[in-house]
Coordinates of all heavy atoms in Angstrom, one line a residue:
M1 N 4.5 -14.1 -0.5 CA 4.1 -12.7 -0.2 C 4.0 -12.5 1.3 O 3.6 -13.3 2.0 CB 2.7 -12.4 -0.9 CG 2.7 -12.5 -2.4 SD 3.7 -11.2 -3.2 CE 2.5 -10.0 -3.6
E2 N 4.5 -11.3 1.6 CA 4.5 -10.9 3.0 C 3.4 -9.8 3.1 O 3.0 -9.2 2.1 CB 5.8 -10.3 3.5 CG 6.9 -11.3 3.4 CD 6.8 -12.4 4.5 OE1 6.2 -12.1 5.6 OE2 7.3 -13.5 4.3
T3 N 3.0 -9.5 4.3 CA 1.9 -8.5 4.5 C 2.4 -7.3 5.4 O 3.0 -7.6 6.5 CB 0.7 -9.1 5.2 OG1 0.2 -10.2 4.3 CG2 -0.4 -8.1 5.4
L4 N 2.2 -6.1 5.0 CA 2.4 -4.9 5.8 C 1.0 -4.3 6.1 O 0.1 -4.3 5.2 CB 3.2 -3.9 5.1 CG 4.7 -4.1 4.9 CD1 5.3 -3.0 4.1 CD2 5.4 -4.1 6.3
H5 N 0.8 -3.7 7.2 CA -0.4 -3.0 7.5 C -0.1 -1.5 7.3 O 0.9 -1.0 7.8 CB -0.8 -3.2 9.0 CG -1.3 -4.6 9.2 ND1 -0.5 -5.6 9.7 CD2 -2.5 -5.2 9.0 CE1 -1.2 -6.7 9.8 NE2 -2.4 -6.5 9.4
V6 N -0.9 -0.9 6.4 CA -0.7 0.5 6.1 C -2.0 1.2 6.2 O -3.1 0.7 6.2 CB -0.2 0.7 4.6 CG1 1.1 0.0 4.4 CG2 -1.2 0.1 3.6
M7 N -1.9 2.5 6.5 CA -3.1 3.4 6.5 C -2.8 4.6 5.7 O -1.7 5.3 5.9 CB -3.4 3.8 7.9 CG -4.7 4.6 7.9 SD -5.3 5.1 9.6 CE -4.1 6.4 10.0
I8 N -3.7 4.9 4.8 CA -3.6 6.1 4.0 C -4.6 7.1 4.6 O -5.8 6.8 4.5 CB -3.9 5.9 2.5 CG1 -2.9 4.8 2.0 CG2 -3.9 7.1 1.7 CD1 -3.3 4.2 0.6
P9 N -4.2 8.1 5.3 CA -5.1 8.9 6.2 C -6.2 9.7 5.5 O -7.2 9.8 6.1 CB -4.1 9.8 6.9 CG -2.9 9.9 6.1 CD -2.8 8.6 5.4
N10 N -5.9 10.1 4.3 CA -7.0 11.0 3.6 C -6.8 10.9 2.1 O -5.8 10.4 1.6 CB -6.9 12.4 4.2 CG -5.6 13.0 4.1 OD1 -4.9 13.0 3.0 ND2 -5.1 13.6 5.2
A11 N -7.7 11.5 1.4 CA -7.7 11.4 -0.1 C -6.5 12.2 -0.6 O -5.9 11.8 -1.7 CB -9.0 12.1 -0.6
D12 N -6.0 13.2 0.1 CA -4.8 13.9 -0.4 C -3.6 13.0 -0.4 O -2.7 13.2 -1.2 CB -4.6 15.2 0.4 CG -5.7 16.2 0.2 OD1 -6.3 16.2 -0.9 OD2 -5.9 17.0 1.2
S13 N -3.5 12.1 0.6 CA -2.4 11.2 0.7 C -2.3 10.1 -0.3 O -1.3 9.4 -0.5 CB -2.4 10.6 2.1 OG -2.3 11.6 3.1
V14 N -3.4 9.8 -1.0 CA -3.5 8.8 -2.0 C -2.5 9.0 -3.1 O -1.8 8.1 -3.5 CB -4.9 8.6 -2.5 CG1 -4.9 7.6 -3.7 CG2 -5.9 8.2 -1.4
N15 N -2.4 10.2 -3.6 CA -1.5 10.6 -4.6 C 0.0 10.3 -4.2 O 0.8 9.7 -5.0 CB -1.6 12.0 -5.0 CG -2.6 12.3 -6.1 OD1 -3.0 11.3 -6.8 ND2 -3.0 13.5 -6.2
E16 N 0.3 10.7 -3.0 CA 1.7 10.4 -2.5 C 2.0 8.9 -2.4 O 3.0 8.5 -2.8 CB 1.8 11.1 -1.1 CG 3.2 10.9 -0.5 CD 3.3 11.4 0.9 OE1 2.4 12.2 1.4 OE2 4.3 11.1 1.6
F17 N 1.0 8.1 -1.9 CA 1.2 6.7 -1.8 C 1.4 6.1 -3.2 O 2.3 5.3 -3.4 CB -0.1 6.1 -1.1 CG 0.0 4.6 -0.9 CD1 0.6 4.1 0.3 CD2 -0.5 3.7 -1.8 CE1 0.7 2.8 0.5 CE2 -0.4 2.3 -1.6 CZ 0.2 1.9 -0.4
V18 N 0.6 6.5 -4.2 CA 0.6 5.9 -5.5 C 1.9 6.4 -6.2 O 2.5 5.6 -7.0 CB -0.6 6.3 -6.3 CG1 -0.5 6.0 -7.8 CG2 -1.8 5.6 -5.7
E19 N 2.4 7.6 -6.0 CA 3.7 8.0 -6.6 C 4.8 7.1 -6.1 O 5.6 6.7 -6.9 CB 4.0 9.5 -6.2 CG 3.2 10.5 -7.0 CD 3.5 11.9 -6.6 OE1 4.6 12.1 -5.9 OE2 2.7 12.8 -6.9
V20 N 4.8 6.8 -4.8 CA 5.9 5.9 -4.3 C 5.7 4.5 -4.9 O 6.7 3.9 -5.4 CB 5.9 5.9 -2.8 CG1 6.9 4.9 -2.2 CG2 6.2 7.3 -2.2
T21 N 4.5 3.9 -4.8 CA 4.3 2.5 -5.2 C 4.5 2.4 -6.7 O 4.9 1.4 -7.2 CB 3.0 2.0 -4.8 OG1 1.9 2.8 -5.3 CG2 2.9 1.9 -3.3
G22 N 4.2 3.5 -7.5 CA 4.3 3.4 -8.9 C 5.7 3.3 -9.4 O 6.0 2.8 -10.5
D23 N 6.7 3.6 -8.5 CA 8.1 3.5 -8.9 C 8.6 2.1 -8.7 O 9.7 1.7 -9.1 CB 9.0 4.5 -8.1 CG 8.8 5.9 -8.5 OD1 8.3 6.1 -9.7 OD2 9.1 6.8 -7.7
F24 N 7.9 1.2 -8.0 CA 8.3 -0.2 -7.8 C 8.1 -1.0 -9.0 O 7.0 -0.9 -9.7 CB 7.5 -0.8 -6.6 CG 7.7 -0.1 -5.3 CD1 6.8 -0.2 -4.3 CD2 8.8 0.7 -5.0 CE1 6.9 0.4 -3.1 CE2 9.0 1.4 -3.8 CZ 8.0 1.2 -2.8
N25 N 9.0 -1.8 -9.4 CA 8.9 -2.7 -10.6 C 8.4 -4.1 -10.3 O 8.7 -5.0 -11.0 CB 10.2 -2.8 -11.3 CG 11.3 -3.5 -10.5 OD1 11.1 -3.8 -9.3 ND2 12.4 -3.8 -11.1
F26 N 7.5 -4.2 -9.3 CA 6.9 -5.4 -8.9 C 5.4 -5.1 -8.5 O 5.1 -4.0 -8.2 CB 7.6 -6.2 -7.8 CG 8.0 -5.3 -6.6 CD1 7.1 -5.1 -5.6 CD2 9.2 -4.6 -6.6 CE1 7.5 -4.3 -4.5 CE2 9.6 -3.8 -5.5 CZ 8.7 -3.6 -4.5
D27 N 4.6 -6.2 -8.5 CA 3.2 -6.0 -8.2 C 3.0 -6.1 -6.7 O 3.6 -6.8 -6.0 CB 2.4 -7.1 -8.9 CG 2.4 -7.0 -10.4 OD1 2.5 -5.9 -10.9 OD2 2.2 -8.0 -11.0
M28 N 2.0 -5.3 -6.3 CA 1.5 -5.3 -4.9 C 0.0 -5.1 -4.8 O -0.5 -4.4 -5.7 CB 2.2 -4.2 -4.1 CG 3.7 -4.3 -4.0 SD 4.3 -3.0 -2.9 CE 3.7 -1.5 -3.7
D29 N -0.6 -5.8 -3.9 CA -2.1 -5.7 -3.7 C -2.4 -5.0 -2.4 O -1.7 -5.3 -1.4 CB -2.8 -7.0 -3.8 CG -2.7 -7.6 -5.2 OD1 -2.8 -6.9 -6.2 OD2 -2.6 -8.9 -5.3
L30 N -3.4 -4.2 -2.4 CA -3.9 -3.6 -1.2 C -5.2 -4.2 -0.9 O -6.1 -4.2 -1.8 CB -4.0 -2.1 -1.3 CG -4.2 -1.2 -0.1 CD1 -3.0 -1.3 0.8 CD2 -4.4 0.2 -0.5
C31 N -5.4 -4.8 0.3 CA -6.6 -5.5 0.6 C -7.3 -5.0 1.9 O -6.7 -4.6 2.8 CB -6.3 -7.0 0.8 SG -5.6 -7.8 -0.6
D32 N -8.7 -5.2 1.8 CA -9.5 -4.9 3.0 C -10.5 -6.0 3.0 O -11.5 -6.1 2.2 CB -10.2 -3.5 2.8 CG -11.1 -3.2 4.0 OD1 -10.8 -3.6 5.1 OD2 -12.1 -2.5 3.8
G33 N -10.2 -7.0 3.9 CA -11.1 -8.2 3.9 C -10.9 -9.0 2.7 O -9.8 -9.3 2.3
N34 N -12.0 -9.2 1.9 CA -11.8 -10.0 0.7 C -11.8 -9.2 -0.5 O -11.7 -9.7 -1.6 CB -13.0 -11.0 0.6 CG -14.3 -10.3 0.5 OD1 -14.4 -9.1 0.7 ND2 -15.4 -11.1 0.2
R35 N -11.7 -7.9 -0.4 CA -11.6 -6.9 -1.5 C -10.1 -6.6 -1.7 O -9.5 -6.1 -0.7 CB -12.4 -5.7 -1.3 CG -13.9 -5.9 -1.2 CD -14.7 -4.7 -1.0 NE -14.2 -3.9 0.1 CZ -14.5 -2.6 0.3 NH1 -15.3 -2.0 -0.5 NH2 -14.0 -2.0 1.3
C36 N -9.5 -6.8 -2.9 CA -8.1 -6.4 -3.1 C -8.1 -5.6 -4.4 O -8.8 -5.8 -5.4 CB -7.3 -7.7 -3.3 SG -7.1 -8.6 -1.8
V37 N -7.2 -4.6 -4.4 CA -6.9 -3.8 -5.5 C -5.4 -3.6 -5.8 O -4.6 -3.9 -4.9 CB -7.6 -2.4 -5.4 CG1 -9.1 -2.5 -5.2 CG2 -7.0 -1.6 -4.2
D38 N -5.1 -3.2 -6.9 CA -3.7 -2.9 -7.3 C -3.2 -1.7 -6.4 O -3.9 -0.7 -6.4 CB -3.6 -2.5 -8.7 CG -2.2 -2.3 -9.2 OD1 -1.3 -2.2 -8.4 OD2 -2.0 -2.1 -10.4
A39 N -2.1 -1.8 -5.7 CA -1.6 -0.8 -4.8 C -1.1 0.4 -5.5 O -0.7 1.4 -4.9 CB -0.6 -1.4 -3.9
K40 N -1.1 0.3 -6.9 CA -0.6 1.5 -7.7 C -1.8 2.2 -8.3 O -1.6 3.1 -9.2 CB 0.3 1.0 -8.7 CG 1.6 0.3 -8.2 CD 2.4 -0.3 -9.3 CE 3.6 -1.1 -8.7 NZ 4.5 -1.6 -9.7
S41 N -3.0 1.9 -7.9 CA -4.2 2.4 -8.5 C -4.9 3.4 -7.6 O -5.4 3.1 -6.6 CB -5.2 1.3 -8.9 OG -6.5 1.8 -9.2
I42 N -5.0 4.7 -8.1 CA -5.6 5.7 -7.3 C -7.1 5.3 -7.1 O -7.6 5.4 -6.0 CB -5.5 7.1 -8.0 CG1 -4.1 7.6 -7.9 CG2 -6.4 8.1 -7.3 CD1 -3.8 8.8 -8.7
L43 N -7.8 5.0 -8.2 CA -9.2 4.6 -8.1 C -9.4 3.4 -7.2 O -10.4 3.4 -6.4 CB -9.8 4.4 -9.4 CG -10.0 5.7 -10.3 CD1 -10.5 5.3 -11.7 CD2 -10.9 6.7 -9.6
G44 N -8.5 2.4 -7.3 CA -8.7 1.2 -6.5 C -8.6 1.6 -5.0 O -9.3 1.1 -4.2
I45 N -7.6 2.4 -4.6 CA -7.4 2.8 -3.2 C -8.6 3.6 -2.7 O -9.1 3.3 -1.6 CB -6.1 3.6 -3.1 CG1 -4.9 2.6 -3.4 CG2 -6.0 4.2 -1.7 CD1 -3.6 3.4 -3.5
L46 N -9.1 4.5 -3.5 CA -10.3 5.2 -3.1 C -11.5 4.3 -3.0 O -12.3 4.6 -2.1 CB -10.6 6.4 -4.1 CG -9.5 7.5 -4.1 CD1 -9.8 8.5 -5.3 CD2 -9.5 8.2 -2.8
Y47 N -11.6 3.3 -3.8 CA -12.6 2.3 -3.7 C -12.6 1.6 -2.3 O -13.6 1.4 -1.7 CB -12.5 1.3 -4.8 CG -13.4 0.0 -4.6 CD1 -14.7 0.1 -4.8 CD2 -12.7 -1.2 -4.3 CE1 -15.5 -1.1 -4.6 CE2 -13.5 -2.3 -4.1 CZ -14.9 -2.3 -4.2 OH -15.6 -3.4 -4.1
L48 N -11.4 1.2 -1.8 CA -11.3 0.6 -0.5 C -11.6 1.5 0.6 O -12.0 1.1 1.6 CB -9.8 0.0 -0.4 CG -9.5 -1.2 -1.2 CD1 -8.1 -1.6 -0.8 CD2 -10.4 -2.3 -0.9
G49 N -11.2 2.8 0.4 CA -11.5 3.8 1.4 C -10.2 4.2 2.1 O -9.2 3.5 2.2
V50 N -10.2 5.5 2.6 CA -9.0 6.0 3.3 C -9.3 6.2 4.7 O -10.5 6.1 5.2 CB -8.6 7.4 2.7 CG1 -8.1 7.2 1.2 CG2 -9.7 8.4 2.7
G51 N -8.3 6.3 5.5 CA -8.5 6.5 7.0 C -8.7 5.3 7.8 O -9.1 5.3 8.9
K52 N -8.4 4.1 7.1 CA -8.5 2.9 7.9 C -7.3 2.0 7.5 O -6.6 2.2 6.5 CB -9.8 2.1 7.6 CG -10.1 1.9 6.2 CD -11.5 1.3 6.1 CE -11.9 1.0 4.7 NZ -13.2 0.4 4.6
V53 N -7.0 1.0 8.3 CA -5.8 0.1 8.1 C -6.2 -0.9 7.0 O -7.2 -1.6 7.0 CB -5.4 -0.6 9.4 CG1 -4.3 -1.5 9.1 CG2 -5.0 0.5 10.4
H54 N -5.3 -1.1 6.0 CA -5.4 -2.1 5.0 C -4.1 -3.0 5.0 O -3.1 -2.6 5.6 CB -5.4 -1.4 3.6 CG -6.6 -0.5 3.4 ND1 -7.9 -1.0 3.3 CD2 -6.7 0.8 3.3 CE1 -8.7 0.1 3.2 NE2 -8.0 1.2 3.1
E55 N -4.3 -4.1 4.4 CA -3.1 -5.1 4.3 C -2.5 -4.9 2.9 O -3.2 -5.0 1.9 CB -3.6 -6.5 4.5 CG -4.1 -6.8 5.9 CD -4.5 -8.2 6.1 OE1 -4.6 -9.0 5.1 OE2 -4.8 -8.6 7.2
L56 N -1.2 -4.7 2.9 CA -0.4 -4.5 1.6 C 0.4 -5.8 1.5 O 1.2 -6.2 2.3 CB 0.5 -3.3 1.7 CG 1.4 -3.0 0.5 CD1 0.5 -2.6 -0.7 CD2 2.4 -1.9 0.9
S57 N 0.1 -6.5 0.4 CA 0.9 -7.8 0.0 C 2.1 -7.4 -0.8 O 2.0 -6.7 -1.8 CB 0.0 -8.7 -0.8 OG -1.1 -9.1 0.0
V58 N 3.2 -7.8 -0.2 CA 4.5 -7.4 -0.8 C 5.4 -8.7 -1.0 O 5.4 -9.6 -0.2 CB 5.3 -6.5 0.2 CG1 6.6 -6.1 -0.4 CG2 4.5 -5.3 0.5
P59 N 6.1 -8.8 -2.1 CA 7.0 -10.0 -2.3 C 8.0 -10.0 -1.1 O 8.6 -9.0 -0.7 CB 7.8 -9.7 -3.6 CG 6.9 -8.7 -4.3 CD 6.2 -7.9 -3.3
G60 N 8.2 -11.2 -0.5 CA 9.0 -11.3 0.7 C 10.4 -10.7 0.6 O 10.8 -10.1 1.5
E61 N 11.1 -10.9 -0.5 CA 12.4 -10.3 -0.7 C 12.4 -8.8 -0.8 O 13.5 -8.2 -0.7 CB 13.1 -10.9 -1.9 CG 12.5 -10.6 -3.2 CD 11.4 -11.4 -3.7 OE1 10.9 -12.3 -2.9 OE2 10.9 -11.2 -4.8
R62 N 11.3 -8.2 -1.0 CA 11.2 -6.7 -1.1 C 10.6 -6.1 0.2 O 10.4 -4.8 0.2 CB 10.3 -6.3 -2.3 CG 10.8 -6.9 -3.6 CD 12.0 -6.3 -4.0 NE 12.4 -6.7 -5.4 CZ 13.0 -5.9 -6.2 NH1 13.4 -4.7 -5.9 NH2 13.3 -6.4 -7.4
L63 N 10.3 -6.8 1.2 CA 9.6 -6.3 2.3 C 10.3 -5.1 3.0 O 9.7 -4.1 3.2 CB 9.3 -7.4 3.4 CG 8.5 -7.1 4.6 CD1 7.1 -6.6 4.2 CD2 8.5 -8.2 5.6
K64 N 11.5 -5.3 3.3 CA 12.3 -4.2 4.0 C 12.3 -3.0 3.2 O 12.2 -1.8 3.7 CB 13.7 -4.7 4.4 CG 14.5 -3.7 5.1 CD 13.9 -3.4 6.5 CE 14.8 -2.4 7.3 NZ 14.1 -1.6 8.2
F65 N 12.6 -3.1 1.9 CA 12.6 -2.0 0.9 C 11.3 -1.2 0.9 O 11.3 0.0 1.1 CB 13.0 -2.5 -0.5 CG 12.9 -1.5 -1.5 CD1 13.9 -0.5 -1.7 CD2 11.8 -1.5 -2.4 CE1 13.8 0.4 -2.7 CE2 11.7 -0.5 -3.4 CZ 12.7 0.4 -3.6
V66 N 10.2 -2.0 0.8 CA 8.9 -1.3 0.8 C 8.6 -0.7 2.1 O 8.1 0.4 2.2 CB 7.8 -2.4 0.4 CG1 6.4 -1.8 0.6 CG2 8.0 -2.8 -1.0
E67 N 8.9 -1.3 3.2 CA 8.7 -0.8 4.5 C 9.4 0.5 4.7 O 8.9 1.5 5.3 CB 9.1 -1.8 5.6 CG 8.6 -1.6 6.9 CD 8.9 -2.7 7.9 OE1 9.8 -3.5 7.6 OE2 8.1 -2.9 8.8
D68 N 10.6 0.6 4.2 CA 11.4 1.9 4.3 C 10.8 3.0 3.5 O 10.7 4.1 3.9 CB 12.9 1.6 3.9 CG 13.6 0.8 4.9 OD1 13.2 0.6 6.0 OD2 14.7 0.3 4.5
K69 N 10.4 2.6 2.2 CA 9.9 3.6 1.3 C 8.5 4.1 1.7 O 8.2 5.3 1.4 CB 9.8 3.1 -0.1 CG 11.2 2.8 -0.7 CD 11.9 4.1 -1.0 CE 13.2 3.8 -1.8 NZ 13.9 5.1 -2.0
L70 N 7.7 3.3 2.3 CA 6.4 3.6 2.7 C 6.2 3.8 4.2 O 5.2 3.7 4.8 CB 5.4 2.5 2.3 CG 5.2 2.4 0.8 CD1 4.3 1.2 0.5 CD2 4.7 3.6 0.1
S71 N 7.3 4.2 4.9 CA 7.3 4.3 6.3 C 6.3 5.3 6.9 O 5.8 5.1 8.0 CB 8.7 4.7 6.8 OG 9.1 5.9 6.3
A72 N 5.9 6.3 6.1 CA 4.9 7.3 6.5 C 3.5 6.6 6.6 O 2.7 7.2 7.3 CB 4.9 8.5 5.6
F73 N 3.3 5.5 5.9 CA 2.0 4.9 5.9 C 1.9 3.6 6.7 O 0.9 3.1 6.9 CB 1.7 4.6 4.4 CG 1.6 5.8 3.6 CD1 2.6 6.1 2.7 CD2 0.5 6.6 3.6 CE1 2.6 7.2 1.9 CE2 0.4 7.8 2.8 CZ 1.5 8.1 2.0
V74 N 3.1 3.0 7.1 CA 3.1 1.7 7.8 C 2.7 1.9 9.2 O 3.1 2.8 9.9 CB 4.5 1.1 7.7 CG1 4.6 -0.2 8.5 CG2 4.9 0.8 6.3
V75 N 1.8 1.0 9.7 CA 1.3 1.1 11.0 C 1.5 -0.3 11.6 O 1.6 -1.3 10.9 CB -0.2 1.5 11.2 CG1 -0.4 2.9 10.7 CG2 -1.1 0.5 10.4
S76 N 1.7 -0.4 12.9 CA 1.8 -1.7 13.6 C 0.4 -2.1 14.1 O -0.3 -1.3 14.6 CB 2.8 -1.6 14.8 OG 2.4 -0.6 15.7
E77 N 0.1 -3.3 13.8 CA -1.2 -3.8 14.1 C -1.1 -5.1 14.9 O -0.3 -5.9 14.8 CB -2.0 -4.1 12.8 CG -3.3 -4.6 13.1 CD -4.4 -3.6 12.7 OE1 -4.2 -2.4 12.6 OE2 -5.6 -4.0 12.6

């Protein structure tokens, strides 16, 4: 698994993030420290909180694809 740093700026953006990740046919986790949730879960993402940088675990062979699709949320850290 590879890691991308992403930020979902506000609660309104959660739906957009989940719509994109929901189309992927592979699993991804969104983590904040030792708390991890399914990156396709609206409630999970809201649990972690919005407006801060999280780590997105992505299968290595899918990294570039995910980075392109989620470019609006990817941040450099």
Side-chain angles (χ1 to χ4, degrees):
M1 294 295 260
E2 298 289 334
T3 301
L4 283 177
H5 291 95
V6 298
M7 184 175 76
I8 303 167
N10 53 49
D12 294 332
S13 299
V14 173
N15 273 342
E16 181 184 347
F17 185 87
V18 170
E19 282 180 19
V20 174
T21 59
D23 288 339
F24 300 157
N25 64 352
F26 48 89
D27 293 331
M28 297 184 304
D29 290 325
L30 192 64
C31 299
D32 182 30
N34 62 351
R35 299 181 306 166
C36 291
V37 299
D38 183 351
K40 300 175 185 182
S41 167
I42 291 173
L43 290 177
I45 293 169
L46 291 173
Y47 166 73
L48 287 183
V50 295
K52 57 186 180 177
V53 176
H54 299 292
E55 293 181 352
L56 180 66
S57 296
V58 179
E61 67 277 3
R62 302 291 187 147
L63 182 64
K64 182 64 177 150
F65 172 76
V66 171
E67 197 170 24
D68 290 344
K69 293 291 186 180
L70 294 175
S71 62
F73 300 100
V74 174
V75 295
S76 57
E77 179 111 344

